[in-house]
Amino acid sequence: MTATTANSDIFSDAYPEQQTAVRRRLDEIWAACAARDFDLLESFHGYGPKFTSFKDGALRAGADANAADERKFFSMLEENSVDMADLAINVFADVAVVTFNGRYSGVLGGNRISADQQTTMVLVSDDGAWKIVHEHMSPIGSPPER
């Protein structure tokens, strides 16, 4: 757990050391995806009954479904990479909210593919090891008319 002090303001303080650790974890996540090291990738998640994910407008998924989907997808994807444009890492003591506009790309079935997705990840510090407890990815597109 990250120690907070009486003078700490979780809504204003930047927590630069934690931001650096979370940024490093993001790099480790993408490297594990590229290497297809699924055991390592899964270790970066706080899989359990509180884990949730939303992807591409589908219903909320839990830990088992998320792990299976990631194994299936990254098993087929080659040369995968992500550009995290407009990356924001906001730390609130032991919780971090990561948001970015992701350009995901790779080769699937011999064809180069890409997808632009708004991405949100919520990570929790587990004795200093940052783990994903929620993922939300949705296509970037024009906002709906109201």
Side-chain angles (χ1 to χ4, degrees):
M1 298 278 265
T2 304
T4 56
T5 66
N7 296 331
S8 180
D9 180 351
I10 65 168
F11 299 107
S12 297
D13 293 349
Y15 297 93
E17 293 169 5
Q18 291 87 344
Q19 285 179 318
T20 299
V22 170
R23 181 64 176 96
R24 189 171 33 252
R25 177 51 44 102
L26 293 172
D27 291 339
E28 293 169 335
I29 290 166
W30 307 133
C33 292
R36 297 178 175 151
D37 188 341
F38 300 117
D39 291 335
L40 182 60
L41 178 61
E42 288 172 11
S43 77
F44 297 147
H45 291 74
Y47 281 150
K50 294 182 179 181
F51 181 90
T52 57
S53 69
F54 288 111
K55 293 188 180 154
D56 297 324
L59 296 175
R60 182 179 58 234
D64 292 341
N66 193 77
D69 287 347
E70 287 184 349
R71 279 181 180 258
K72 180 180 176 185
F73 181 72
F74 289 112
S75 290
M76 298 183 300
L77 189 66
E78 299 176 37
E79 301 175 29
N80 62 307
S81 66
V82 62
D83 175 28
M84 297 180 288
D86 198 25
L87 174 64
I89 300 172
N90 294 305
V91 177
F92 304 87
D94 294 334
V95 176
V97 178
V98 175
T99 56
F100 58 91
N101 294 314
R103 156 91 16 130
Y104 297 87
S105 63
V107 176
L108 186 63
N111 298 311
R112 181 147 298 279
I113 62 165
S114 68
D116 295 328
Q117 302 231 318
Q118 291 176 316
T119 303
T120 301
M121 296 176 156
V122 178
L123 295 90
V124 174
S125 178
D126 181 21
D127 289 325
W130 289 93
K131 297 191 176 199
I132 303 168
V133 295
H134 176 75
E135 300 177 9
H136 188 154
M137 298 175 187
S138 57
I140 295 175
S142 300
E145 292 189 29
R146 295 186 180 244

